[in-house]
Amino acid sequence: MRKIVFKVGIFLFSFLTIIFFSEVLVRKFVPQVTFSQAVKLSIDCYASSPDIPFTLAKNHTCTMTNVLGEFKTTASINSLGVRGKEFSLEKPKDWERILVIGDSMTFGWGVSDNQTYPSLLADALQEKGKQVEVINGG
């Protein structure tokens, strides 16, 4: 019985030692990108704010890069802090306004300004003769 316990102990010690040194080697030579590192590496659109960490910087052209290298593009943030062209707070007479609210998909993560779906929606409606302004609130 003592031999079995001794052999199991040796096996567990060897196994845990191998796992430990494997972890050390992976961390040293193949480090993983954490979420906070990925955010810092992927987008520079945010204003510095201790209260609201993901506030878009006003009047800013930022770069969006996928950490895997799938895309690198820019986004324009206007003076009101939303993506896209400048617009006045007062709606133009005889024009309709659509505010599109959403997440990174609405914002257009990874695509240029004219490829976001709010921009494509505005283009499609204007092609049909509608006087419409679409605001990207993503």
Side-chain angles (χ1 to χ4, degrees), residues 82-84 98-101 106-108 116-119 134-138:
V82 296
R83 185 168 184 185
I98 300 172
L99 173 62
V100 181
I101 298 174
T106 302
F107 177 78
T116 64
Y117 83 78
S119 178
V134 180
I135 299 169
N136 185 342

Side-chain angles (χ1 to χ4, degrees), residues 32-126:
Q32 302 295 306
V33 178
T34 64
F35 175 75
S36 59
Q37 290 170 331
V39 169
K40 286 178 188 174
L41 293 172
S42 63
I43 190 167
D44 66 347
C45 294
Y46 301 119
S48 178
S49 170
D51 301 322
I52 305 172
F54 295 108
T55 301
L56 294 173
K58 296 178 180 179
N59 293 321
H60 184 66
T61 299
C62 59
T63 303
M64 294 180 289
T65 307
N66 182 289
V67 293
L68 300 175
E70 294 170 339
F71 62 82
K72 183 174 183 175
T73 189
T74 59
S76 302
I77 312 300
N78 67 24
S79 64
L80 296 172
V82 296
R83 185 168 184 185
K85 303 173 194 168
E86 280 296 328
F87 60 90
S88 65
L89 290 177
E90 189 173 317
K91 180 178 72 87
K93 189 176 180 170
D94 299 329
W95 277 66
E96 296 295 322
R97 273 199 174 155
I98 300 172
L99 173 62
V100 181
I101 298 174
D103 57 3
S104 59
M105 191 69 88
T106 302
F107 177 78
W109 175 253
V111 298
S112 60
D113 290 341
N114 62 349
Q115 293 176 323
T116 64
Y117 83 78
S119 178
L120 296 173
L121 174 63
D123 293 345
L125 291 172
Q126 289 170 1

